[in-house]
Amino acid sequence: MSKAGKELTTHAVILAGGRGTRFWPRSRMRTPKQLLNIVGKDTMLEQTVARLRPLIPPERIWTVTNAEQAAAVKKQLPAAARKRVLTEPIGRNTAAAIALAALHVRHAAKGDALMAVLPADHFIAQPDQYRKIVGAALELAREPERMIVLGIPPTRPDTGFGYVERTGDALSSNGLPAFAVRRFTEKPARDLAEQYVASGDYHWNAGMFFWRVSAFLDNLKLFLPKTHQALESLAENIGKKTYERCLRAIYPKLENISVDYAILENATRQEGPPQVYVIPAEVGWSDIGSWAAVYELLAKQSGDNVLAGPGQAHDASGNFLYSPTKFITAIGVHNLIVVETPDALLIVPRDRAQDVAKLVKSLEERKLTKLL
């Protein structure tokens, strides 16, 4: 390992700008999923920061969010991390959000640094094992141009996730294997997902990435040159009075594309030694993508009723019932999601929990802004 590699500081970038529409009516524009205690007493953002604290100090934890959520995000962060909240004037997907953070990390580090890029709203049941894997990923990412993704061993042929195909013999980092990535596949059809799971060579893409700032920005310049050029002009204004005006001017013009499509998929197609590696991560992960996923996490066995509040059930099974203020009773109903807030009540079959996002879109079209 080079001397320069040893001197790299490590920074975390937490992506916290999503709306969590599938968690309506609890999740709203100003208080989305990541700012709620969906599973456990702490919010998803608080849990994400707590997992990182033994590895990365708060002053090197950056959070990317939007103007509607920025104030609430800051309240949930440690004091030193509140100064590292970056506000996007408009959503431009993950490539732009990560690039914005990379520029600020480079500025703060006065040069190159290691970056861990993490979603704010995922659940990890095994934080100690998670930290061990993150440490291994950061160690591998010290190598210039190398990019690391965490891959979740699939438990079912889920068509809602992206898949990462590994290839070749494994490298070793901190006693953990890392495989070169052959390709990424986004949300395959059911029969293809079944083949992937059966092969043992595929993992779910958890959206957790590790690399040097320089490696990411070099790839951004190669694959999204216009975005790179625009953001480098912004970088010259960091810390100046002109920064906010420059940010508002250039950000809406950036390409609206995910980092997976823009950077990682293209990097796997480059000739030469592999640049992208996947570390299998069995850490009790869930992206908690819907109320049905919350039920699956909290139910001790299939058919249990999960009451997130006072209540009781008779001749009922498989229900998730949430009301913080009212006593809920359920009789003769099965596999329902019921979520009550002061201004709304959601009732939906568990197997249609994904459709809550469609409901929110309908509320938007009807301009029912008080419910959003």
Side-chain angles (χ1 to χ4, degrees), residues 180-191:
V181 172
R182 184 181 177 194
R183 63 180 170 181
F184 291 81
T185 303
E186 186 66 19
K187 298 180 180 178
R190 176 77 183 191
D191 59 343

Side-chain angles (χ1 to χ4, degrees), residues 228-249:
H228 179 268
Q229 183 179 13
L231 286 172
E232 284 292 0
S233 68
L234 175 67
E236 298 171 3
N237 292 274
I238 293 176
K240 300 178 181 178
K241 293 180 180 179
T242 53
Y243 172 79
E244 288 295 334
R245 185 173 71 248
C246 184
L247 177 69
R248 288 193 298 271

Side-chain angles (χ1 to χ4, degrees), residues 138-176:
L138 289 167
E139 192 63 30
L140 281 173
R142 288 181 179 276
E143 186 69 24
E145 301 183 6
R146 190 180 281 167
M147 297 182 286
I148 315 299
V149 57
L150 297 196
I152 307 300
T155 57
R156 60 188 182 276
D158 199 305
T159 59
F161 294 139
Y163 285 72
V164 184
E165 182 184 5
R166 72 190 201 193
T167 186
D169 296 328
L171 300 178
S172 179
S173 179
N174 294 355
L176 295 169

Side-chain angles (χ1 to χ4, degrees), residues 256-338:
N256 189 348
I257 189 171
S258 75
V259 71
D260 309 71
Y261 282 124
I263 305 295
L264 294 167
E265 288 191 17
N266 282 316
T268 61
R269 302 187 187 110
Q270 294 294 97
E271 294 183 1
Q275 293 185 49
V276 187
Y277 286 81
V278 59
I279 298 180
E282 292 196 50
V283 292
W285 171 89
S286 172
D287 72 337
I288 317 184
S290 68
W291 286 116
V294 176
Y295 170 84
E296 290 168 8
L297 272 176
L298 297 179
K300 294 179 180 178
Q301 61 186 20
S302 178
D304 280 355
N305 294 299
V306 175
L307 279 70
Q312 63 184 51
H314 297 282
D315 187 26
S317 65
N319 300 296
F320 177 85
L321 310 173
Y322 173 90
S323 174
T325 59
K326 296 182 176 65
F327 188 91
I328 295 183
T329 58
I331 303 173
V333 295
H334 306 275
N335 303 319
L336 287 181
I337 303 286
V338 178

